[in-house]
Amino acid sequence: MIPLTDGRPLIAKRSPDEIAAIRAACQIVSLVHSALARHIAPGVSTATLDELAEETILAHSATPAFKGYHGFPASICASINAEAVHGFPRPAPLQEGDVLCVDVGVKLDGWFGDGAFTLAVGSLAPDVDRLLRATERALDAGVRAAVPGGRLSDISHAVETVAIEAGVAVIQEYGGHGIGRELHEEPHIPNHGAPGRGPRLQAGQVIAIEPIFSLGSPEVVVDDDGWTTRTKDGSAAAHFEHTVAITAEGPQMLTQPRTAAIGTD
Ligand code: MG
């Protein structure tokens, strides 16, 4: 990363080989997602899911990127119901009807991948279904805006537009980010705002896009643990994230499953 004269770093550009290396880390994120999704059920604890995630990451000769990151204690963030992001895995079993956001980061050969998804545990209430669909649709919209020649805030605007249409709130304190040699690189990518602003997007840039929405208030509070972030009004939150490479052929979701890319379990 080369600093500009005004001190702002450029958004790093990666070679095809470097993008392939980031994709390899991201494919482990995807494998962990699949493994966790198969195990999420009432009665299963997020501590158990964390162990499964860590075993899966280590089995692929990679490192859990979150564990120890600024003191974060686990390999996954597991945020339940009103918890929006950065929840700690815990021994208490998941309950029927819980909404679970899982965020996974992997480091492989010096490159990072990052991805998140949200699932209802057991039955899915209609309003939670609306929240989950909107958040996932917003991620898709953000990804489609990640094209060479576009501007960074085109992604932000695409994400926010879906939230407005769906009648859900954008939790504005958090957003996407550059990723590659570090888990979090420049730029920060807000999930709201007018289009046509910010740096111009270029082929070779790799970013994590991650809408975080709530069914009620957009306001959040952080617990005394310094991490767990929950909606102020207690309403459910959802979080979806892909690591995305901007290429001349269009955006590539590096954390998207590629069944033939590496092992299936
Ligand atoms: Mg992220």
Side-chain angles (χ1 to χ4, degrees):
M1 206 182 288
I2 304 160
L4 295 171
T5 49
D6 66 358
R8 280 188 307 125
L10 289 168
I11 307 174
K13 285 173 67 175
R14 313 297 185 185
S15 70
D17 284 351
E18 290 172 331
I19 290 175
I22 298 170
R23 186 194 299 276
C26 289
Q27 286 299 298
I28 298 169
V29 172
S30 175
L31 287 178
V32 173
H33 282 189
S34 300
L36 296 182
R38 284 197 299 275
H39 284 81
I40 292 169
V44 174
S45 76
T46 50
T48 299
L49 298 175
D50 183 53
E51 286 172 23
L52 174 62
E54 184 163 327
E55 284 169 13
T56 306
I57 293 166
L58 296 175
H60 288 86
S61 305
T63 310
F66 295 170
K67 198 166 193 175
Y69 181 83
H70 295 291
F72 191 80
S75 294
I76 62 171
C77 300
S79 308
I80 302 170
N81 297 330
E83 297 168 3
V85 290
H86 304 159
F88 293 177
R90 62 185 73 148
L94 290 165
Q95 307 285 320
E96 172 78 26
D98 279 345
V99 180
L100 174 63
C101 308
V102 177
D103 197 351
V104 179
V106 165
K107 184 180 187 184
L108 177 70
D109 297 333
W111 296 96
F112 286 86
D114 192 5
F117 69 98
T118 304
L119 267 186
V121 180
S123 59
L124 178 61
D127 57 345
V128 172
D129 185 43
R130 177 167 61 91
L131 173 67
L132 266 52
R133 285 172 185 272
T135 315
E136 200 164 18
R137 211 161 58 238
L139 173 56
D140 287 343
V143 170
R144 284 199 302 275
V147 292
R151 301 284 285 268
L152 190 71
S153 81
D154 296 349
I155 298 169
S156 312
H157 183 70
V159 167
E160 183 183 37
T161 298
V162 174
I164 292 169
E165 286 170 359
V168 299
V170 176
I171 295 173
Q172 297 191 355
E173 278 83 352
Y174 300 90
H177 50 92
I179 182 167
R181 280 299 189 190
E182 303 291 340
L183 179 61
H184 295 132
E185 297 184 358
E186 293 294 327
H188 173 68
I189 309 173
N191 285 322
H192 61 98
R197 297 178 185 171
R200 198 158 297 277
L201 302 174
Q202 299 179 45
Q205 294 168 342
V206 180
I207 54 177
I209 301 174
E210 47 182 322
I212 303 153
F213 293 170
S214 117
L215 263 180
S217 168
E219 290 183 76
V220 288
V221 291
V222 178
D223 285 357
D224 289 341
D225 62 24
W227 284 98
T228 310
T229 302
R230 62 182 68 247
T231 56
K232 205 169 182 179
D233 65 358
S235 60
H239 176 203
F240 285 86
E241 175 181 23
H242 273 305
T243 296
V244 178
I246 299 170
T247 79
E249 292 77 40
Q252 294 184 9
M253 290 182 279
L254 304 181
T255 34
Q256 183 97 311
R258 277 189 146 196
T259 50
I262 61 179
T264 54
D265 206 345

